[in-house]
Amino acid sequence: GFQYPMHTTPTLDFILVVSGQLELGLESGTQLLGPGDVLIQRGTVHRWRNPGPEVCTFVGVMIDAAQA
């Protein structure tokens, strides 16, 4: 049930869910990700939430994408 607050980062993010569930919250709604799902995002206002009782394991790679 843990949730990060809405935020943005100056990065290009690659997220791969290994196990459990991860909910991506955007200003326009939410998207539930599960094992094998991949998300790529850049500079969006977003939040993360673990919607279930089990631990969510994911791999995240963040590459600097600051606007010049």
Side-chain angles (χ1 to χ4, degrees):
F2 182 79
Q3 177 173 301
Y4 284 97
M6 294 293 274
H7 65 282
T8 187
T9 54
T11 56
L12 177 62
D13 304 340
F14 298 86
I15 306 294
L16 166 66
V17 179
V18 177
S19 65
Q21 293 184 322
L22 185 61
E23 181 184 86
L24 168 66
L26 300 169
E27 293 175 309
S28 60
T30 62
Q31 180 66 48
L32 188 61
L33 305 171
D37 287 340
V38 174
L39 169 79
I40 301 171
Q41 69 173 354
R42 178 175 179 240
T44 59
V45 177
H46 66 283
R47 68 162 172 77
W48 298 109
R49 183 174 82 91
N50 179 347
E54 66 182 281
V55 172
C56 176
T57 302
F58 64 94
V59 176
V61 176
M62 301 170 74
I63 300 170
D64 184 24
Q67 303 247 346

